[in-house]
Amino acid sequence: MGEPIADTMKPENKFLIKALLENSDSLQEDIYDDAEQMLGSVPFILRVMARRPEFMIFSALKDFYALRPRSLEPKTAELLAIAAAAASGADKCLKLHMSAAAGAGASEDEILDAIFIAALIGQTRVLASALRTFQEFEGRPK
């Protein structure tokens, strides 16, 4: 199929990305090792995405930087990940990030509080939408 963005990418960027992807096998193994260290296991999605190294490598880099931002301690970032996973119903992610949060020093109480906060926001999301629809229903012509 060729390179989909080859005609629009700056040559120096194309060269850098090509050089990075030429080492995709060792990068994948390093990403697996980093995920194991950071999260306690290698997420299922990384292993499946590895079929497309150009996707997996850049996705993993984004994920690692998002989960370890400069402005937050790892424990705080993991507690946020727990709340997001709980609120979105991502059960496998929730389990993974609970372990990672514990590994980053979060207590069981802190993890539970993150879940309760997520539940509150999730409930509010449901109520806000449903009650607006109910108001429209109430105001309908009868």
Side-chain angles (χ1 to χ4, degrees), residues 2-142:
E3 298 175 44
I5 56 174
D7 294 334
T8 60
M9 185 181 287
K10 291 180 181 178
E12 60 272 20
N13 292 337
K14 185 178 171 183
F15 174 80
L16 289 171
I17 291 170
K18 183 179 178 193
L20 182 70
L21 291 174
E22 284 174 355
N23 295 298
S24 65
D25 289 341
S26 69
L27 278 171
Q28 285 175 338
E29 289 305 315
D30 288 346
I31 289 169
Y32 289 168
D33 291 345
D34 291 343
E36 182 81 40
Q37 181 180 356
M38 183 175 171
L39 302 170
S41 66
V42 178
F44 162 79
I45 60 174
L46 277 181
R47 293 192 185 279
V48 175
M49 286 192 306
R51 295 179 182 181
R52 301 289 187 278
E54 67 279 6
F55 184 82
M56 183 268 224
I57 290 167
F58 292 104
S59 180
L61 287 172
K62 170 195 53 83
D63 293 352
F64 287 145
Y65 280 98
L67 285 170
R68 293 298 180 265
R70 293 179 185 167
S71 63
L72 300 174
E73 295 297 320
K75 178 178 92 169
T76 303
E78 288 301 336
L79 290 170
L80 288 169
I82 287 169
S88 63
D91 292 340
K92 300 290 186 187
C93 292
L94 182 57
K95 289 179 184 178
L96 186 78
H97 289 289
M98 284 180 179
S99 293
S107 69
E108 288 183 6
D109 281 337
E110 289 171 318
I111 292 168
L112 187 58
D113 286 339
I115 293 168
F116 287 151
I117 291 168
L120 170 68
I121 299 303
Q123 174 186 348
T124 303
R125 179 179 50 92
V126 170
L127 285 173
S129 175
L131 293 177
R132 282 187 184 93
T133 302
F134 179 75
Q135 279 185 328
E136 291 171 13
F137 172 77
E138 278 184 314
R140 78 188 186 292
K142 296 180 177 143

